Amino acid sequence: MHDAPSAKELIEAVKAFIDKTAAPQLTGHAAFHARVASNALATVLRELDIRPDAEAAEQARLESLLGVSGESVDSLNRRLCEEIRSGRMSLSTDGLLPHLKSTTIGQLSVDQPGYSGLRSAAR
C-alpha cells in the first residue's frame, strides 16, 4: 500500500513553505534565491502536470510525420532534425508547421506559462 505523499504533494509542500513562511522573512539576495527556488518548483509541478500528455501528443505527431513508430520522442526528434537538415522536409511539408507550433506551445506552457504570446499562439 502506498500511503506516503506523492512527489507532487511533497513539491507543493516545499513550495508553500518557501512562499508562505521562508520568503516573507528574507531580504536581499536570500529573498531573490527563495523566488528562484519557488519558480523552479513551479516549473517542476507544471512538468508533472503537462509534460506526459504533451509528450504523448508530440510522439504521435512525429510518428505520423515520419511514418515510423516504436521509437522514443528523442529518437524521433533526431530523425526529424535530420530530415529538415537534409532538405527532405521543409515548412511546406504537410503537418510539419502545425507540429512545430504545437510542440513549442507545449514547451512554453511548462517553461514560460506567462509568456505574452502563448495565449494567442495556442489559438
Side-chain angles (χ1 to χ4, degrees):
M1 174 183 236
H2 182 73
D3 60 357
S6 68
K8 181 179 177 183
E9 290 168 329
L10 291 169
I11 294 165
E12 288 171 338
V14 172
K15 184 173 177 352
F17 168 75
I18 291 170
D19 294 344
K20 296 175 183 170
T21 304
Q25 297 180 41
L26 300 172
T27 60
H29 204 62
F32 169 76
H33 282 288
R35 285 191 306 276
V36 169
S38 178
N39 287 338
L41 292 172
T43 300
V44 171
L45 289 169
R46 288 189 302 272
E47 281 274 347
L48 291 171
D49 287 341
I50 297 170
R51 173 81 55 206
D53 289 343
E55 195 163 287
E58 179 181 4
Q59 182 161 5
R61 289 190 309 271
L62 285 165
E63 288 176 345
S64 176
L65 268 171
L66 297 168
V68 298
S69 62
E71 294 185 25
S72 69
V73 171
D74 288 341
S75 175
L76 291 167
N77 272 312
R78 283 191 296 278
R79 277 184 184 252
L80 178 62
C81 288
E82 179 54 35
E83 291 296 307
I84 293 169
R85 190 175 10 258
S86 71
R88 291 185 296 267
M89 282 190 168
S90 69
L91 289 180
S92 63
T93 302
D94 281 343
L96 180 58
L97 186 57
H99 164 71
L100 296 173
K101 182 179 175 183
S102 294
T103 301
T104 301
I105 290 169
Q107 189 64 50
L108 281 171
S109 296
V110 171
D111 294 343
Q112 296 291 324
Y115 174 65
S116 62
L118 186 57
R119 282 187 212 98
S120 61
R123 292 182 204 147

